[in-house]
Structure formats: C-alpha cells, structure tokens
Amino acid sequence: MTQEVLDIMEPVDGETIVDMTFGGGGHSKSILQRAQGITLVAADRDPVAFELAKQLEWEMLGKSTILPLLGKFSELHHHMSAHEIEEGTVDSFLFDLGASSMQFDTAGRGFSLSRDGPLDMRMDESRCPDQPTAAEIINHLKAKDLSIILKNYGEERHARSIAQAIVEARYAFGNITSTAQLAQVIDTVFEGSHKQDKLQRHAHPATKSFQALRIFVNNELNELHNGLELAWKYLRPGGICAVISFHSLEDRIVKRHFHGIEMDAQGNMTVGDHHRNSAITQPKHIIEEMLEKRWMPLSKKVMTPTLDELATNPRARSAKLRAAIKVS
C-alpha cells in the first residue's frame, strides 16, 4: 500500500521521517523519491535490514540523510537520543508490521510455510541471546501452554487439538526442528479439510499457528504498543503516524491508540461507559484527561489494498492501513 502511505504522509523537502520497519527499504525509497533533503531514520530489529539501511545511507549521500538504527521498538528511544533527535520534532512515522517479504523468502529464518527451514522465527536473529526460538517453544512447553499461545496470538479455534498433536509428535518422533515438520503435524489435525484465503486460494491449516508462534517469539504486540507510544512522543503536533497491520490483534492495538481506548477496556464502550458511577464525582483534572485527545484519526474506516495491488502483491491481502495526526 505504498501509494496510500505516500498520499497520507505527503512528504516534503527537509522533513524528518521515521520508518520503524525498514525491511528491504521499499517504503523508504518511495519516500526519498518524493522529496529531497529528507532526514530518514531507517529503523529495524533485523540485522539484515540494518545492513541494507547502511547501504542506502551511502547511496543517498549528498541527497538525503539516512540514519540506520538497529533495535526493537522498545530500544529505539536510546538510539534516537544518541542521534540528537528530540521529542516533538519528527514529521511522520511509518510502521509496516509483521514479517517482511525478505524474511518470508529466506528459508533459513523459519518464517515460511512454503520453504522448509529451521524453526527459528527470531526477527533479531542471534542478536538477543536470551530470546527463544520457535523450536524451543514447540519442544519444551506443555500442551496447555502451547494451546494458550496458539489461541491468544493466532486466534486458532483448534488450538487445543494442535497443541496436543505437537506434544504427541514430540514423544513419538523426537523434537520438531523444521518448519515442514511442524506444518505436517498441524495438518494431521485438520484431516485434509482446508480453507481458502481472501483471494480464494488454498490456505494452509498451519498459517494461524505459525503466526501465533512468530508473534509470541518476537513479543510483537507489546513492542507495537511501545512503538506507538514512542511515535507520539517524537512526533510534532500535527505530525502523522501511519500503520499497516496484517492481523486483527495488531489492528486492534492501533485502533485503540488512535481512538483513545484503553488497552484492556471492553470493546464498543463509550467514554461514559468507562466512568459511569453515580456514587463518584470525578475531579476536574480527571474529566479533562478523559476528554483530551492525543490522536485524530484520518479516517473512521480502515483502508485496505486495491484489487490491482492484490493482483501484483497477494501478500497484501490481509493488510489494513490506519493513520492519525498527533493532536497534542
């Protein structure tokens, strides 16, 4: 959804823009083609993406300033401070969530169902020694704990059956170490019953389970919350934050941030519902905080890819784009 992002951000010469998920650099390069003299923060937690950002830095010498940053969303505050980027000065933030095409296309990273490789799924690779791989999660957790991960992070209805099948396969055949092995185990739960995706193509029954493991291994939902908080701090008033998500859990977090809904609040509640109690009189500063908005969404409805884009980029089929302006 590159064109939609450019239409929302409308980059102009001399702006400071932060690409929080540089990846292969597609969005960043499009931004740099639109405006000159940009200061572009090219951030990513993936060391491979970091090297690509450093390459782009050399390519853009004399045209725009590229600042490659390696780190999770929760680590970027220290890096940006080190580069003397002050809070309240950035013009735009961009998030393109989930695993990148580069990560899916590299079998050795363990993200893909269609390419057999080691069951890794760490976006940071070996940069964080204490971070477990997907294989360690699969081979050491009990069925109950695996079921919780699959249900909470993949919204998988068959989480219990899949978790039990994984544990039984471990006892029968040893550790599950590759993406193909895990996909085969999960496939046995569905007995040949397969769904279709939004493009009416065959959807592998392990898709949600792989997604859940990736989100859990990389702590993606907590990192997203941290990233959006950082974006609000560094954006100038009137600055724009655009977020492309691929999963309902991600989109829910983005929506709640932009619409001022508490993270653990029930859905579809009004401000009055949150604070309704006839026995309590709220002090003035609490009422002002309730009414104060941090973001102004640019659209009430989420934006989705066009049919033309889906024809050339099927991976965008689940993409949802939300954008908001920093109000205060």
Side-chain angles (χ1 to χ4, degrees):
M1 302 183 71
T2 302
Q3 188 57 50
E4 289 85 348
V5 168
L6 292 174
D7 291 342
I8 288 170
M9 296 175 66
E10 296 183 330
V12 298
D13 296 355
E15 284 193 332
T16 299
I17 297 175
V18 179
D19 185 347
M20 293 285 277
T21 48
F22 180 79
H27 286 295
S28 287
K29 292 175 182 176
S30 297
I31 291 169
L32 294 168
Q33 291 173 359
R34 180 70 70 93
Q36 302 295 317
I38 294 284
T39 297
L40 178 79
V41 177
D44 207 293
R45 64 191 294 179
D46 190 331
V48 176
F50 178 62
E51 293 300 320
L52 293 176
K54 290 197 293 185
Q55 181 179 330
L56 181 64
E57 180 184 17
W58 283 104
E59 294 173 0
M60 296 304 297
L61 280 176
K63 301 176 184 178
S64 288
T65 301
I66 311 299
L67 301 176
L69 299 184
L70 176 62
K72 306 173 186 178
F73 297 157
S74 56
E75 299 171 330
L76 293 182
H77 173 74
H78 304 289
H79 295 306
M80 293 177 72
S81 297
H83 283 279
E84 299 182 345
I85 300 174
E86 296 181 358
E87 295 182 7
T89 63
V90 175
D91 295 286
S92 299
F93 267 79
L94 171 63
F95 296 76
D96 188 1
L97 304 174
S100 67
S101 294
M102 177 177 64
Q103 290 167 334
F104 276 121
D105 291 338
T106 305
R109 302 297 298 274
F111 290 99
S112 178
L113 273 164
S114 58
R115 292 174 172 82
D116 188 23
L119 201 53
D120 193 321
M121 296 193 189
R122 293 173 299 171
M123 291 181 175
D124 304 273
E125 289 193 315
S126 57
R127 189 175 69 88
C128 303
D130 295 333
Q131 182 182 13
T133 65
E136 290 171 324
I137 300 298
I138 285 295
N139 291 307
H140 291 93
L141 292 188
K142 298 178 180 179
K144 180 180 179 181
D145 296 324
L146 285 174
S147 175
I148 291 173
I149 291 173
L150 299 181
K151 182 179 180 180
N152 289 351
Y153 296 105
E155 298 179 312
E156 174 57 72
R157 291 186 302 168
H158 303 281
R160 288 186 180 180
S161 298
I162 293 172
Q164 189 60 42
I166 290 172
V167 171
E168 291 176 358
R170 277 172 9 200
Y171 283 121
F173 305 108
N175 284 348
I176 300 170
T177 58
S178 75
T179 56
Q181 285 178 309
L182 179 58
Q184 290 170 2
V185 171
I186 296 173
D187 198 24
T188 62
V189 175
F190 291 83
E191 298 180 350
S193 176
H194 301 306
K195 294 182 178 180
Q196 292 180 321
D197 62 19
K198 292 182 179 180
L199 300 180
Q200 302 303 308
R201 305 179 310 170
H202 165 73
H204 197 286
T207 299
K208 289 185 177 181
S209 297
F210 269 60
Q211 179 176 265
L213 287 169
R214 190 204 77 217
I215 290 174
F216 181 79
V217 165
N218 296 288
N219 195 24
E220 292 179 36
L221 301 184
N222 286 327
E223 285 296 324
L224 173 56
H225 172 72
N226 290 328
L228 291 171
E229 286 293 321
L230 181 138
W232 185 83
K233 288 181 180 179
Y234 275 89
L235 277 173
R236 60 170 175 80
I240 294 174
C241 180
V243 185
I244 301 173
S245 62
F246 293 84
H247 186 278
S248 61
L249 296 177
E250 296 169 339
D251 181 59
R252 194 174 303 149
I253 292 174
V254 178
K255 180 180 179 181
R256 292 193 167 207
H257 268 270
F258 286 171
H259 289 268
I261 305 171
E262 295 177 9
M263 286 298 106
D264 54 356
Q266 297 179 23
N268 301 319
M269 293 179 69
T270 66
V271 173
D273 290 331
H274 285 291
H275 302 276
R276 181 172 292 140
N277 189 331
S278 59
I280 297 176
T281 300
Q282 300 288 357
K284 181 180 178 181
H285 74 278
I286 295 294
I287 295 174
E288 290 175 346
E289 289 178 4
M290 289 162 50
L291 298 176
E292 182 180 351
K293 289 187 176 181
R294 304 208 306 171
W295 299 98
M296 182 178 70
L298 290 179
S299 174
K300 289 185 178 180
K301 293 185 178 180
V302 68
M303 289 169 270
T304 55
T306 63
L307 293 177
D308 289 340
E309 178 168 1
L310 291 178
T312 58
N313 182 21
R315 284 178 177 168
R317 63 189 180 277
S318 300
K320 295 180 179 179
L321 172 60
R322 292 186 187 272
I325 297 173
K326 178 180 176 179
V327 176
S328 62

